[in-house]
PDB file of all heavy atoms in Angstrom:
ATOM      1  N   ALA A  17       1.756 -47.643 -10.822  1.00  0.00           N
ATOM      2  CA  ALA A  17       0.508 -48.111 -10.713  1.00  0.00           C
ATOM      3  C   ALA A  17       0.017 -48.095  -9.182  1.00  0.00           C
ATOM      4  O   ALA A  17      -0.960 -47.747  -8.740  1.00  0.00           O
ATOM      5  CB  ALA A  17       0.266 -49.449 -11.305  1.00  0.00           C
ATOM      6  N   MET A  18       1.034 -48.553  -8.311  1.00  0.00           N
ATOM      7  CA  MET A  18       0.720 -48.616  -6.921  1.00  0.00           C
ATOM      8  C   MET A  18       0.648 -47.188  -6.373  1.00  0.00           C
ATOM      9  O   MET A  18      -0.139 -46.904  -5.408  1.00  0.00           O
ATOM     10  CB  MET A  18       1.831 -49.386  -6.122  1.00  0.00           C
ATOM     11  CG  MET A  18       1.787 -50.861  -6.453  1.00  0.00           C
ATOM     12  SD  MET A  18       3.257 -51.759  -5.870  1.00  0.00           S
ATOM     13  CE  MET A  18       3.545 -50.988  -4.297  1.00  0.00           C
ATOM     14  N   ALA A  19       1.375 -46.162  -6.874  1.00  0.00           N
ATOM     15  CA  ALA A  19       1.305 -44.797  -6.362  1.00  0.00           C
ATOM     16  C   ALA A  19      -0.119 -44.317  -6.702  1.00  0.00           C
ATOM     17  O   ALA A  19      -0.642 -43.568  -5.889  1.00  0.00           O
ATOM     18  CB  ALA A  19       2.403 -43.970  -7.045  1.00  0.00           C
ATOM     19  N   PHE A  20      -0.678 -44.540  -7.893  1.00  0.00           N
ATOM     20  CA  PHE A  20      -1.890 -44.006  -8.244  1.00  0.00           C
ATOM     21  C   PHE A  20      -2.965 -44.636  -7.480  1.00  0.00           C
ATOM     22  O   PHE A  20      -3.980 -44.037  -7.090  1.00  0.00           O
ATOM     23  CB  PHE A  20      -2.232 -44.188  -9.811  1.00  0.00           C
ATOM     24  CG  PHE A  20      -1.454 -43.196 -10.609  1.00  0.00           C
ATOM     25  CD1 PHE A  20      -0.523 -43.684 -11.593  1.00  0.00           C
ATOM     26  CD2 PHE A  20      -1.743 -41.893 -10.470  1.00  0.00           C
ATOM     27  CE1 PHE A  20       0.136 -42.685 -12.358  1.00  0.00           C
ATOM     28  CE2 PHE A  20      -1.104 -40.944 -11.313  1.00  0.00           C
ATOM     29  CZ  PHE A  20      -0.125 -41.369 -12.158  1.00  0.00           C
ATOM     30  N   ALA A  21      -2.862 -46.047  -7.241  1.00  0.00           N
ATOM     31  CA  ALA A  21      -3.784 -46.778  -6.484  1.00  0.00           C
ATOM     32  C   ALA A  21      -3.997 -46.190  -5.061  1.00  0.00           C
ATOM     33  O   ALA A  21      -5.004 -46.357  -4.451  1.00  0.00           O
ATOM     34  CB  ALA A  21      -3.402 -48.240  -6.427  1.00  0.00           C
ATOM     35  N   GLN A  22      -2.889 -45.622  -4.497  1.00  0.00           N
ATOM     36  CA  GLN A  22      -2.805 -45.175  -3.009  1.00  0.00           C
ATOM     37  C   GLN A  22      -3.276 -43.722  -3.020  1.00  0.00           C
ATOM     38  O   GLN A  22      -3.373 -43.215  -1.900  1.00  0.00           O
ATOM     39  CB  GLN A  22      -1.549 -45.402  -2.455  1.00  0.00           C
ATOM     40  CG  GLN A  22      -1.269 -46.852  -2.273  1.00  0.00           C
ATOM     41  CD  GLN A  22       0.145 -47.132  -1.731  1.00  0.00           C
ATOM     42  OE1 GLN A  22       0.909 -46.172  -1.505  1.00  0.00           O
ATOM     43  NE2 GLN A  22       0.421 -48.360  -1.449  1.00  0.00           N
ATOM     44  N   THR A  23      -3.509 -43.094  -4.258  1.00  0.00           N
ATOM     45  CA  THR A  23      -3.883 -41.634  -4.127  1.00  0.00           C
ATOM     46  C   THR A  23      -5.267 -41.590  -3.495  1.00  0.00           C
ATOM     47  O   THR A  23      -6.262 -42.093  -4.019  1.00  0.00           O
ATOM     48  CB  THR A  23      -3.901 -41.090  -5.504  1.00  0.00           C
ATOM     49  OG1 THR A  23      -2.506 -41.354  -5.970  1.00  0.00           O
ATOM     50  CG2 THR A  23      -4.139 -39.537  -5.487  1.00  0.00           C
ATOM     51  N   PRO A  24      -5.435 -40.785  -2.388  1.00  0.00           N
ATOM     52  CA  PRO A  24      -6.695 -40.620  -1.671  1.00  0.00           C
ATOM     53  C   PRO A  24      -7.540 -39.758  -2.624  1.00  0.00           C
ATOM     54  O   PRO A  24      -7.237 -38.842  -3.309  1.00  0.00           O
ATOM     55  CB  PRO A  24      -6.402 -40.097  -0.456  1.00  0.00           C
ATOM     56  CG  PRO A  24      -5.148 -39.342  -0.490  1.00  0.00           C
ATOM     57  CD  PRO A  24      -4.457 -40.019  -1.555  1.00  0.00           C
ATOM     58  N   ALA A  25      -8.894 -39.923  -2.402  1.00  0.00           N
ATOM     59  CA  ALA A  25      -9.844 -39.083  -3.167  1.00  0.00           C
ATOM     60  C   ALA A  25      -9.839 -37.738  -2.500  1.00  0.00           C
ATOM     61  O   ALA A  25      -9.535 -37.541  -1.342  1.00  0.00           O
ATOM     62  CB  ALA A  25     -11.294 -39.616  -3.046  1.00  0.00           C
ATOM     63  N   PRO A  26     -10.208 -36.732  -3.155  1.00  0.00           N
ATOM     64  CA  PRO A  26     -10.175 -35.345  -2.641  1.00  0.00           C
ATOM     65  C   PRO A  26     -11.153 -35.284  -1.411  1.00  0.00           C
ATOM     66  O   PRO A  26     -12.242 -35.840  -1.483  1.00  0.00           O
ATOM     67  CB  PRO A  26     -10.690 -34.376  -3.632  1.00  0.00           C
ATOM     68  CG  PRO A  26     -11.023 -35.191  -4.812  1.00  0.00           C
ATOM     69  CD  PRO A  26     -10.653 -36.623  -4.566  1.00  0.00           C
ATOM     70  N   GLU A  27     -10.698 -34.852  -0.301  1.00  0.00           N
ATOM     71  CA  GLU A  27     -11.389 -34.837   0.919  1.00  0.00           C
ATOM     72  C   GLU A  27     -12.551 -33.783   0.871  1.00  0.00           C
ATOM     73  O   GLU A  27     -12.392 -32.635   0.407  1.00  0.00           O
ATOM     74  CB  GLU A  27     -10.496 -34.461   2.170  1.00  0.00           C
ATOM     75  CG  GLU A  27      -9.784 -35.675   2.562  1.00  0.00           C
ATOM     76  CD  GLU A  27      -9.311 -35.465   3.976  1.00  0.00           C
ATOM     77  OE1 GLU A  27     -10.040 -34.913   4.805  1.00  0.00           O
ATOM     78  OE2 GLU A  27      -8.241 -36.094   4.337  1.00  0.00           O
ATOM     79  N   GLN A  28     -13.672 -34.144   1.444  1.00  0.00           N
ATOM     80  CA  GLN A  28     -14.812 -33.253   1.562  1.00  0.00           C
ATOM     81  C   GLN A  28     -14.599 -32.378   2.766  1.00  0.00           C
ATOM     82  O   GLN A  28     -14.022 -32.999   3.804  1.00  0.00           O
ATOM     83  CB  GLN A  28     -16.071 -33.995   1.751  1.00  0.00           C
ATOM     84  CG  GLN A  28     -16.421 -34.843   0.516  1.00  0.00           C
ATOM     85  CD  GLN A  28     -16.930 -33.902  -0.652  1.00  0.00           C
ATOM     86  OE1 GLN A  28     -17.521 -32.857  -0.478  1.00  0.00           O
ATOM     87  NE2 GLN A  28     -16.558 -34.288  -1.804  1.00  0.00           N
ATOM     88  N   PRO A  29     -15.011 -31.171   2.842  1.00  0.00           N
ATOM     89  CA  PRO A  29     -14.830 -30.393   4.138  1.00  0.00           C
ATOM     90  C   PRO A  29     -15.711 -30.990   5.069  1.00  0.00           C
ATOM     91  O   PRO A  29     -16.793 -31.395   4.873  1.00  0.00           O
ATOM     92  CB  PRO A  29     -15.239 -28.992   3.639  1.00  0.00           C
ATOM     93  CG  PRO A  29     -15.854 -29.119   2.312  1.00  0.00           C
ATOM     94  CD  PRO A  29     -15.454 -30.427   1.792  1.00  0.00           C
ATOM     95  N   LYS A  30     -15.139 -30.912   6.304  1.00  0.00           N
ATOM     96  CA  LYS A  30     -15.855 -31.419   7.479  1.00  0.00           C
ATOM     97  C   LYS A  30     -16.791 -30.355   8.139  1.00  0.00           C
ATOM     98  O   LYS A  30     -17.776 -30.692   8.774  1.00  0.00           O
ATOM     99  CB  LYS A  30     -14.913 -31.872   8.593  1.00  0.00           C
ATOM    100  CG  LYS A  30     -13.993 -32.949   8.164  1.00  0.00           C
ATOM    101  CD  LYS A  30     -13.110 -33.580   9.263  1.00  0.00           C
ATOM    102  CE  LYS A  30     -11.980 -34.462   8.782  1.00  0.00           C
ATOM    103  NZ  LYS A  30     -12.429 -35.628   8.255  1.00  0.00           N
TER     104      LYS A  30
END
Side-chain angles (χ1 to χ4, degrees):
M18 289 172 41
F20 285 116
Q22 293 177 357
T23 305
E27 279 202 35
Q28 294 292 326
K30 296 182 191 303

